[in-house]
Amino acid sequence: MKRASLLALVLAAWAVPADAATASRETFGSLPDGREVAAIVLTNQAGMKVRILAYGALVQELTVPGRSGPADVVLGYDGIEGYLAAPNYFGASVGRYANRIAGGRFELDGKAYQLARNDGPNALHGGVKGFDKRLWTVGDVSANAQQASVTLTYLSPDGEEGYPGTLQVSATYTLTESNDLKIDYRATTDKATIVNLTNHSYFNLAGANSGVSILESLLKIPAETFTPVDETLIPTGEFRSVSGTPFDFLTLRRIGDRIRDGRDAQLRFGRGYDHNWVVSRTVVAEPQVLAYLEDPASGRVMEVLSNQPGIQFYTGNFLDGTVTGKAGTIYRMGDALCLEPQIFPDTPNQPEFGSARLDPGKVYQNSIVYRFSVKPPSSGS
Ligand code: BGC
């Protein structure tokens, strides 16, 4: 090794304190057209590790401490081939519009737009080739004593998947020393458009490969209403009280307790939970708790915070054993759940739901925090 580069290495090692969070870049694979898929790995001193791919700005690994050691708590694939062959939105950043838009149609300033329809008659998660299937650009990567972070960006051209306006999107992932994984989604446009970005990680706090069902996890959602859906999972427009229904998670409940209650048409339509809970009616200034999730065996706890008004709680009902993920594991219903902070599904067609509109000069922002901790064995819930 040349003297100068040896000196640079020594200086770099000296500059970063041994107890700091770290951010490093690696190659995860390449796309069929030859473009490299970079991965950024963030770690902290508390034992957390997150791997984020430039493809889909997705979370490929999320290792979190538990009472008896660390475990990877998200579903995904070991190689890029899996993400290309059967994406399933594992860990992905979804957009331009997370969840469904009825008929893939909406109107803005009197003009009708037809989006790509990729879920029966409806548009889902941004269309045939949404942000989850795009190669994002890796921007700033940084680390210091308190946190490590990376920003990924994507420029969505005017008309992509039928959406108006050129949309500049960024996703900043930050891992802190206090075991927060933050995702800050931002977007700006050059023409009036609609936006709803979220993250689609499939969590199992017992471990993605543990064999423990998420039906055993305990969940709390501070929402007095949810938005019921029709057979195609489009909201009816109603805000329905959770009181006396399997949708009441105002107090901590085992997820499996009422998920098979076939008397409830909503559970039949969703094949389980696949609904939007209404925590507030509008976007709020500071991230608030939208959900609390606990795995009793490992003691892992995850709180989900965001400035968004709704949260989609989806119990992985469409995982049917046809997909083999990390470590050769077949994924089935009950293996993981999603908790997606969002504007309510189909807002552009639902006058009571507020607005998903973004105008030039404004900044769309979804600030998500996944806050991890380990509950001591003896304490109550
Ligand atoms: C939706 C589900 C959909 C899934 C796709 C969720 O956000 O609510 O209905 O099947 O994404 O992975």
Side-chain angles (χ1 to χ4, degrees):
M1 188 181 291
K2 281 214 190 93
R3 210 181 224 192
S5 43
L6 188 66
L7 186 68
L9 208 75
V10 170
L11 280 175
W14 174 75
V16 180
D19 59 350
T22 67
S24 53
R25 185 182 170 132
E26 50 189 49
T27 297
F28 190 74
S30 54
L31 298 181
D33 63 11
R35 284 180 296 165
E36 183 212 359
V37 177
I40 304 296
V41 178
L42 309 178
T43 68
N44 70 10
Q45 290 298 305
M48 276 187 68
K49 178 179 174 192
V50 190
R51 181 179 291 105
I52 294 133
L53 305 190
Y55 185 77
L58 66 83
V59 180
Q60 188 265 341
E61 176 190 341
L62 175 53
T63 295
V64 181
R67 273 185 212 137
S68 42
D72 182 3
V73 299
V74 291
L75 303 196
Y77 299 103
D78 287 324
I80 192 65
E81 304 74 26
Y83 291 99
L84 296 174
N88 281 296
Y89 307 99
F90 287 150
S93 294
V94 293
R96 289 190 194 190
Y97 201 92
N99 213 283
R100 293 179 177 78
I101 295 183
R105 276 189 303 272
F106 69 100
E107 268 189 32
L108 206 58
D109 297 330
K111 187 164 181 236
Y113 293 91
Q114 179 64 60
L115 304 172
R117 284 185 282 207
N118 60 329
D119 186 65
N122 304 318
L124 174 66
H125 295 328
V128 178
K129 196 167 177 188
F131 296 171
D132 61 298
K133 298 179 190 70
R134 305 282 174 182
L135 187 63
W136 296 49
T137 302
V138 180
D140 290 345
V141 180
S142 67
N144 60 36
Q146 286 81 42
Q147 60 182 50
S149 81
V150 57
T151 296
L152 300 118
T153 60
Y154 176 66
L155 188 69
S156 173
D158 187 9
E160 189 177 64
E161 298 292 316
Y163 291 93
T166 309
L167 198 73
Q168 176 69 64
V169 186
S170 68
T172 299
Y173 281 89
T174 305
L175 177 64
T176 73
E177 280 301 332
S178 55
N179 285 355
D180 279 358
L181 174 63
K182 301 181 181 176
I183 312 177
D184 189 36
Y185 288 114
R186 289 179 191 223
T188 54
T189 184
D190 63 356
K191 213 191 262 184
T193 189
I194 56 167
V195 189
N196 187 23
L197 309 177
T198 195
N199 185 273
H200 207 291
S201 287
Y202 285 69
F203 298 99
N204 184 333
L205 294 187
N209 202 13
S210 64
V212 177
S213 169
I214 53 97
L215 299 185
E216 301 306 324
S217 290
L218 309 176
L219 179 68
K220 190 172 170 179
I221 303 179
E224 277 164 15
T225 57
F226 74 107
T227 51
V229 292
D230 67 15
E231 295 88 332
T232 71
L233 302 182
I234 292 294
T236 59
E238 183 194 346
F239 290 93
R240 185 176 294 174
S241 169
V242 297
S243 172
T245 77
F247 292 80
D248 186 348
F249 284 97
L250 284 164
T251 51
L252 200 62
R253 292 294 296 236
R254 184 178 160 272
I255 291 171
D257 274 358
R258 295 166 297 179
I259 196 172
R260 293 176 197 263
D261 185 352
R263 292 165 304 179
D264 190 299
Q266 287 299 311
L267 288 177
R268 293 202 307 274
F269 292 162
R271 302 188 187 182
Y273 295 109
D274 189 358
H275 295 80
N276 170 65
W277 270 252
V278 179
V279 178
S280 56
R281 287 291 183 109
T282 55
V283 171
V284 295
E286 292 299 321
Q288 59 180 344
V289 175
L290 300 181
Y292 168 100
L293 183 68
E294 177 185 327
D295 168 49
S298 68
R300 282 190 197 90
V301 169
M302 179 178 79
E303 283 176 285
V304 183
L305 295 84
S306 166
N307 61 338
Q308 298 300 294
I311 187 154
Q312 186 81 13
F313 167 43
Y314 168 58
T315 38
N317 314 325
F318 298 104
L319 294 177
D320 59 2
T322 53
V323 157
T324 301
K326 286 188 268 189
T329 305
I330 292 172
Y331 292 145
R332 291 170 51 83
M333 213 180 258
D335 284 351
L337 58 85
C338 300
L339 286 164
E340 308 158 56
Q342 62 182 359
I343 290 172
F344 311 151
D346 198 35
T347 287
N349 295 308
Q350 303 280 353
E352 299 300 318
F353 283 9
S355 173
R357 182 184 176 117
L358 180 69
D359 282 302
K362 300 270 191 244
V363 180
Y364 164 89
Q365 191 167 358
N366 181 358
S367 304
I368 302 174
V369 184
Y370 303 108
R371 179 159 292 163
F372 292 93
S373 55
V374 181
K375 202 172 146 191
S378 53
S379 68
S381 291

